[in-house]
Amino acid sequence: MDENKSPQDILNEIFEKSGEPTPPPQRPTFEYPSEDDPLPAPPPDEPTEKHGAEEGARPFPWLGVMLGAALLVMGVCLLQLVRMNHRLDELQQAVEAVQSVDSLREENGRLQVKLDQTERNAEHLRQTLDDTRTGLAAQTAQKKRLDYLWYVGQFIDHGDYPMAALAATLSAREYFSDSFMVDPQTLYPNLEQIAQYRAYCRGLADKGYLEMTYGAVYESTPTVPTFPEQWDPEQNPDMAALGILWCALDENYVEGASEAAAQYLINYQWYPLYSSGESGGDCYPQRILDTASDYTIHLYEQLIQDLTRGGWLAETDGILYYSEDQFLSDILYSLPFHPPGGIPVT
């Protein structure tokens, strides 16, 4: 017997073999229970609920898988979106950085142009400053020579030839050197001033107060004149007194060094001046009053007044002192000659 056949198929085979027709299936009959019979218990709901639950639970695992896959896909997409946003931010920052670099380059170019222009202007100003400084130095030197020549001329005009000879000789190298440097140029004396200086020296030499020696004809200035023995301030005490005065006048009115002028007048006021073979002599203030011309004495008195008003000197009973309110440096100014006599009191 075939185990896979249903009971109906088995019955059909039996009837076919027996030659009898297959009886029709009987309709089931239902007997209604009497009122006295108890009602049958209803079938339990558990199989139905269980079957329904099994039937309903079958698609949920696949739905969960699909939902999880969808969530995973969404998560991946969200992660990609976040990454793309970060990437876009980075690209935006990179673009802004490039734009900033370009702006900085443009600004740097503009600043470089301004810097180049500023450097050109600064170089022009430096050149202008150098030219101005050189021109000012030349004008200052020219003015000093003019002032110096004016004093020599005034002494000659007032007949004070010893003072004129002292001025022409003691300060000649200061105002009429062959040349002098004013960085970065070399300046030379004015030819007209040289001619005037030579004329004064020749006039004083003709009167016997100076001795002149000249070098080659192509030299710009003559050799500095020298003193004859009788007018030499290193041997003649009166000329030494006038020489001290001239140095003070020169420093204050020509050079503008009032401190040096005050130092000369104070330091040498106690210096006894005397020639070789003498045992002592008067100091320069008394010798000026005794031997100088009225014009020179006036210059001496005027010098003391100007230095006093300028705060450099104070005078008590004819004695000169440094002003207490004046700051003094430690510079010791020396004379351009050695006066004959004793040791100065400082």
Side-chain angles (χ1 to χ4, degrees):
M1 182 177 296
D2 190 352
E3 293 180 357
N4 294 328
K5 293 182 179 179
S6 63
Q8 185 65 36
D9 292 336
I10 296 174
L11 290 176
N12 292 333
E13 289 181 0
I14 292 172
F15 285 116
E16 288 177 357
K17 291 180 178 180
S18 61
E20 296 179 359
T22 301
Q26 294 180 359
R27 297 178 63 184
T29 60
F30 297 93
E31 293 180 359
Y32 294 94
S34 66
E35 293 180 357
D36 295 332
D37 296 334
L39 295 174
D45 295 336
E46 181 178 355
T48 304
E49 292 177 356
K50 183 177 180 182
H51 179 74
E54 291 177 356
E55 293 293 332
R58 290 178 182 176
F60 282 101
W62 296 101
L63 181 61
V65 172
M66 293 176 64
L67 181 61
L71 291 175
L72 179 61
V73 172
M74 291 177 62
V76 172
C77 292
L78 181 61
L79 179 61
Q80 292 294 330
L81 181 61
V82 172
R83 289 181 178 178
M84 289 180 65
N85 287 335
H86 286 305
R87 183 58 178 168
L88 288 175
D89 291 339
E90 292 176 356
L91 291 176
Q92 181 65 28
Q93 293 176 359
V95 170
E96 292 176 355
V98 171
Q99 292 175 348
S100 299
V101 171
D102 292 339
S103 299
L104 290 175
R105 286 177 179 174
E106 292 177 0
E107 183 66 19
N108 184 58
R110 289 192 295 269
L111 292 176
Q112 186 63 44
V113 172
K114 291 182 179 180
L115 177 60
D116 295 340
Q117 182 63 39
T118 302
E119 289 180 350
R120 287 192 294 269
N121 293 338
E123 181 62 28
H124 177 71
L125 290 176
R126 281 193 294 268
Q127 185 61 44
T128 301
L129 179 61
D130 291 341
D131 295 342
T132 301
R133 182 177 59 185
T134 301
L136 180 61
Q139 293 178 1
T140 300
Q142 183 176 359
K143 183 182 182 300
K144 286 182 179 182
R145 286 193 292 268
L146 288 173
D147 293 341
Y148 166 67
L149 291 174
W150 183 85
Y151 275 102
V152 176
Q154 287 296 302
F155 290 138
I156 293 175
D157 292 343
H158 286 86
D160 198 337
Y161 300 115
M163 281 292 290
L166 287 165
T169 304
L170 298 180
S171 300
R173 294 188 184 278
E174 181 67 24
Y175 301 109
F176 285 98
S177 58
D178 289 339
S179 63
F180 60 97
M181 292 295 299
V182 176
D183 292 337
Q185 297 185 14
T186 302
L187 302 180
Y188 301 92
N190 183 278
L191 295 179
E192 294 180 358
Q193 293 174 341
I194 293 176
Q196 184 64 58
Y197 174 71
R198 287 179 175 179
Y200 286 151
C201 289
R202 284 194 299 268
L204 293 171
D206 293 340
K207 290 178 172 57
Y209 291 95
L210 292 179
E211 292 180 350
M212 301 294 297
T213 57
Y214 291 88
V217 294
Y218 56 82
E219 290 185 355
S220 59
T221 58
T223 304
V224 175
T226 58
F227 293 102
E229 183 177 353
Q230 66 273 25
W231 300 112
D232 188 351
E234 294 190 353
Q235 300 183 41
N236 185 328
D238 292 335
M239 288 291 287
L242 295 177
I244 294 172
L245 175 59
W246 163 248
C247 290
L249 292 170
D250 182 21
E251 292 290 349
N252 189 69
Y253 295 117
V254 182
E255 292 289 344
S258 299
E259 181 182 0
Q263 188 180 114
Y264 285 142
L265 296 182
I266 292 175
N267 287 1
Y268 287 96
Q269 66 181 332
W270 306 112
Y271 193 102
L273 298 171
Y274 52 88
S275 59
S276 178
E278 295 179 349
S279 58
D282 295 329
C283 299
Y284 85 84
Q286 187 60 46
R287 288 184 179 273
I288 289 174
L289 297 176
D290 292 341
T291 61
S293 66
D294 293 339
Y295 176 72
T296 300
I297 292 175
H298 170 72
L299 290 179
Y300 171 58
E301 294 172 348
Q302 185 66 44
L303 175 62
I304 294 175
Q305 294 176 9
D306 290 343
L307 289 175
T308 301
R309 283 195 294 267
W312 292 97
L313 293 181
E315 184 177 6
T316 303
D317 298 331
I319 299 175
L320 300 177
Y321 304 92
Y322 288 114
S323 175
E324 295 181 357
D325 298 332
Q326 186 62 53
F327 173 79
L328 300 173
S329 66
D330 296 331
I331 300 175
L332 181 61
Y333 298 92
S334 59
L335 295 170
F337 64 94
H338 300 287
I343 304 298
V345 179
T346 59

